[in-house]
Amino acid sequence: MNKAFARTMYVSLGHTLHPWYEKASAWVVENRRNLSWLTTAFALIAMMWLLSSRGGWMTLLQATIENKLFLLLAILLWPINLGMEAWKWHRLSSNVLVELDAKTPYRSWIDIWKEVLVGQTWALLGPFRLADGAGRISATSDSRLKGAAGAKAFAIGAACQGWITWWWAVLALAIAGKPLAAVILGLGMTMISMWASTFFSLFLGLLCGGRYITFACQYLLMLSAWGVLSPTDWMTEGFPKIAALWCAVGSIPWPAELGVREAAAAWMFDGNLPGVIAATFALWILNRAGPAALGLIWVGRAWQVNKNGRID
């Protein structure tokens, strides 16, 4: 594929989607409180339904931490996971600024962390992935990242993360003893990769791959901490199920940021439901609610945008 042609098409697409991104961002701001209540209600209803089929809320009292070391290791991986996301955003946002100004921009790491954490807060409140990007764009103090440029940076990062996730699914299918499915998916991913290589750098792919591995290790450690999964079954049972869960549920447009992936794990690891719910909820608090809480340091100002489009 002609790379110049592909990039020209992508730039045109970015300009076309610019008004849509602005509308999405404004809609999130206007409806943030209602979205917060809907998010909470949806998660509670899903959890209540799961528990009602397995003995009710009292079954959660059966969940106990059987290995504190695994829990500690999962927690220690949290700054690595979030740090790679911040590194990715630093690289992508810098790249789009280079394209705009033809010079190397300086982006403060304080600004990077502010944008990433505000994005995490918005992702918790908004029922779709774009809430994360809208939060980052709203929080940035660099006017050049407002609108299409910032949206492009976020879209490339999100697309690359999804691309890498599906490549891990190829490996998971092979480990699970489904070689034909692995070959078919692998061929499809190879064709997509020929197109994706025009937008994704090797460094970006390595960062996204590192994030996925870190997350998978966190989840396996959490499941083992609550006695759901033996470490000896991590590769043969744990990793394939995690990959299948994240690819399938991650393909659904809006509920993916509501903890639906965590709740759906009860169907994948159904041998110890109380432990599954406790482990997945702990991971949700660590990776989602934790960064979102930190984002509250700035998110109040991120919602108060003045006439110039800057944060008050």
Side-chain angles (χ1 to χ4, degrees), residues 98-119:
V98 169
E99 293 177 7
L100 290 174
D101 299 338
K103 61 183 180 181
T104 303
Y106 171 75
R107 296 224 65 212
S108 166
W109 278 101
I110 294 178
D111 290 338
I112 292 295
W113 278 105
K114 177 187 70 175
E115 292 159 13
V116 169
L117 292 173
V118 168

Side-chain angles (χ1 to χ4, degrees), residues 7 91 95 160 163-164 196-210:
R7 291 186 183 277
R91 171 62 68 94
N95 285 348
C160 188
W163 174 59
I164 290 296
S197 63
T198 62
F199 308 111
F200 305 151
S201 66
L202 176 61
F203 179 78
L204 180 60
L206 291 175
L207 273 180
C208 291

